[in-house]
DNA sequence: AACGTTGAAATAGTTC
DNA sequence: GAACTATTTCAACGTT
């Protein structure tokens, strides 16, 4: 880190500043999201329920990518039906 | 914190030591879990698949508790069938 | 929520979609930040130390000093010298 | 995995159940730890500072000093005085 | 043994 | 101010 004269010092400063700028942008978007929830709430919607919906939609999207194969074999061994995912067998 | 003579000093020490003991126990259990995976692996089982099974069983257990009600209403509005959870509509 | 025919249904759908779009943007920025850290790491910088720097730049001096003061007090109570950080006393 | 009749099926089931039991124990201990923190908090102690203490006691002195050294170097590079922690320079 | 990936823990922020 | 949620941080793990 101390070689190259002050070069890496400059690099460090730039990394730090780039991150700080990106975090600023991120913060703004987070505030935008909060605004939309606020607006929805003002329109009579239940924010908590909306959050659940969003969570569910995210989950559904990721479940699609779930890998099969060995996992299914094991599920069968444990009495969990592989296609339709049933809870614990006892 | 500085009142009561050294009493709170003793209290602090005791809290810290209780936590350290509990963390020690927790660590041992984590090692036990690792041992079981190891043993299973030695027996020819696929550890990664086992982890997925465990995750699934945990998820299934918690899904059962999921609250319904408003959420279902909203799901219907968004074209997500409430009973059987389908992915995104577009 | 069920009044006004399907109007609020449309509203809900729009709120959900606006949020999903914003969350997508937010995710991209988060990934950008991760990239910068990655790049910095590739350039030989210590990511953990960088995070500390960022945290300290965000916090104002007084908060920081206050917190550090409490920690020192506790160290003394436990017989850990505050300046030079020694491991466990017994 | 499909050889030996249902033998390995039984084995798998046993591995899974052993792990689930251990994870349950681990969870209980984690809750115990949370309780101790809660109790300490109720007694007027600063939980965050306690966590720092625990972390420092876990780390050995040399590691810690090394990490703090890097942070100081970075601070200097960014024009932040290392001893007294100032917020943003511009 | 470094690397990224993933899961758990902790902190911060929000709501009631 | 207590509980919940979301974000961030940290550590473990398999991978290369």
């Amino acid at each position: 880190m101390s070689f190259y004269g002050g070069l890496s010092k400059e690099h460090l400063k730039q990394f730090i500043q780039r991150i700080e700028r990106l975090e600023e942008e991120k913060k703004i978007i987070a505030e935008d999201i909060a605004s939309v929830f606020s607006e929805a709430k003002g329109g009579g919607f239940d924010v908590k329920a909306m959050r659940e919906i969003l969570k569910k939609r995210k989950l559904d999207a990721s479940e699609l990518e779930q890998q099969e194969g060995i996992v299914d074999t094991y599920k069968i061994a444990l009495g969990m039906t592989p296609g339709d995912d049933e809870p614990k067998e006892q």
Side-chain angles (χ1 to χ4, degrees), chain A:
Chain A
M1 147 96 203
S2 39
F3 314 108
Y4 320 119
L7 252 188
S8 58
K9 172 179 161 172
E10 271 316 303
H11 283 154
L12 176 60
K13 198 177 284 189
Q14 280 166 17
F15 283 132
I16 294 288
Q17 287 175 350
R18 274 169 69 194
I19 290 167
E20 285 177 341
R21 244 174 271 126
L22 288 166
E23 277 181 348
E24 186 54 32
E25 290 182 45
K26 191 151 74 83
K27 195 183 169 193
I28 289 167
I29 293 179
E31 286 162 358
D32 288 349
I33 292 172
S35 298
V36 178
F37 275 120
S38 220
E39 199 184 324
K41 187 179 183 177
F45 291 102
D46 183 308
V47 171
K48 193 172 174 181
M50 284 176 69
R51 284 189 199 279
E52 276 211 51
I53 293 290
L54 287 161
K55 202 188 294 177
K56 203 94 190 76
R57 283 165 67 100
K58 212 188 283 180
L59 238 169
D60 289 338
S62 69
E63 287 252 321
L64 294 181
E65 301 154 16
Q66 199 197 4
Q67 67 169 1
E68 308 289 330
I70 301 178
V71 177
D72 279 347
T73 310
Y74 286 2
K75 278 189 194 166
I76 293 163
L78 294 169
M80 302 164 74
T81 37
D84 117 317
D85 290 305
E86 261 169 56
K88 307 210 177 193
E89 53 82 34
Q90 233 60 260

